Amino acid sequence: MSSEEYRANDDLNEEPRPEAEDVAEAAPVDAEAAEGQPAEASLEEENSLDLRLERAEAQAGEYLESLQRERASFQNYKKRVEAERGAQAERVRGDVLLKLLPVLDDFYRATDAVPDDQRDGWYEGVLLIQRKLERFLEEQGVTEIQALGERFDPNFHEAVGVDTESDAEPETITEVLQRGYRQKDRVLRPALVRVAS
């Protein structure tokens, strides 16, 4: 059998192929049958997407609220730390200034002990140093607590004796044995005083 005859036999044995028109007619029938399902599926998919979007937006809102709370909390923490740091620095400065007060006391004792007839250039020099120290303390916010003639206040004064011979009203300070000082609102050292009984 020649190759041409062989090909001719194959052509006879082949099943007939459908025409293009037949295929086109069959397609719409399948599409119509399948149309109902995708429409329902797309509706479910849309509802699912809307639900997921709502959840995502709610979660984003929660995250934003949480972030804002944390940010406010951190700002409060920063302010509290700065305030504590400032208060600590103020306490340390007060402690250093407190150590200078005995030096000032010594200046007062020295200048008070000099007799009037011996107050010469040396005395004036010591007074200048004393005033310089007083100015330095004032610049640091240190002020003397007023005591003499004032009513006794246990917040600012420490009574170390009672004056029974004074004509002053009871609880009036008649003598200051050691000056008291405060730095702004903090009492560095109370004044040591005698009080009329």
Side-chain angles (χ1 to χ4, degrees):
M1 198 188 256
S2 71
S3 62
E4 286 178 17
E5 290 173 336
Y6 187 76
R7 273 193 218 125
N9 269 345
D10 273 349
D11 288 345
L12 291 175
N13 291 334
E14 280 183 11
E15 292 180 19
R17 293 185 184 160
E19 293 292 325
E21 290 174 7
D22 295 339
V23 172
E25 284 176 15
V29 174
D30 292 338
E32 281 174 19
E35 256 178 39
Q37 284 181 341
E40 288 174 16
S42 68
L43 187 61
E44 285 177 20
E45 194 174 302
E46 229 176 86
N47 288 342
S48 172
L49 286 174
D50 286 345
L51 187 61
R52 286 170 54 196
L53 179 62
E54 283 176 24
R55 286 181 186 158
E57 285 175 346
Q59 194 172 25
E62 287 174 16
Y63 288 155
L64 178 62
E65 191 178 321
S66 174
L67 174 66
Q68 289 169 339
R69 271 197 312 268
E70 289 301 319
R71 184 176 288 169
S73 175
F74 181 68
Q75 291 298 328
N76 290 339
Y77 168 76
K78 269 178 60 176
K79 287 176 186 173
R80 189 171 60 249
V81 166
E82 286 171 12
E84 286 173 4
R85 189 177 295 150
Q88 177 68 22
E90 205 62 29
R91 276 194 299 275
V92 168
R93 187 176 334 165
D95 292 344
V96 171
L97 295 172
L98 182 61
K99 292 180 180 178
L100 286 175
L101 296 180
V103 176
L104 187 59
D105 291 338
D106 291 342
F107 273 110
Y108 284 126
R109 285 189 202 99
T111 54
D112 289 346
V114 176
D116 290 340
D117 60 342
Q118 294 180 6
R119 296 189 175 192
D120 54 8
W122 177 87
Y123 172 79
E124 293 299 324
V126 172
L127 273 182
L128 284 174
I129 297 169
Q130 176 185 317
R131 288 187 191 123
K132 203 181 270 189
L133 181 55
E134 288 171 341
R135 274 196 306 275
F136 170 74
L137 292 171
E138 284 171 13
E139 288 169 5
Q140 302 304 313
V142 177
T143 54
E144 185 178 340
I145 295 172
Q146 297 304 311
L148 191 61
E150 301 285 325
R151 188 168 179 80
F152 177 78
D153 183 346
N155 296 314
F156 303 109
H157 311 122
E158 187 177 328
V160 292
V162 176
D163 192 349
T164 55
E165 297 176 7
S166 173
D167 295 336
E169 290 185 21
E171 295 191 16
T172 302
I173 297 168
T174 58
E175 186 181 358
V176 178
L177 303 173
Q178 185 182 59
R179 289 174 171 87
Y181 294 91
R182 62 193 292 175
Q183 182 191 21
K184 297 178 184 172
D185 295 332
R186 178 186 175 200
V187 174
L188 291 176
R189 184 178 77 184
L192 300 182
V193 297
R194 287 172 61 87
V195 183
S197 62

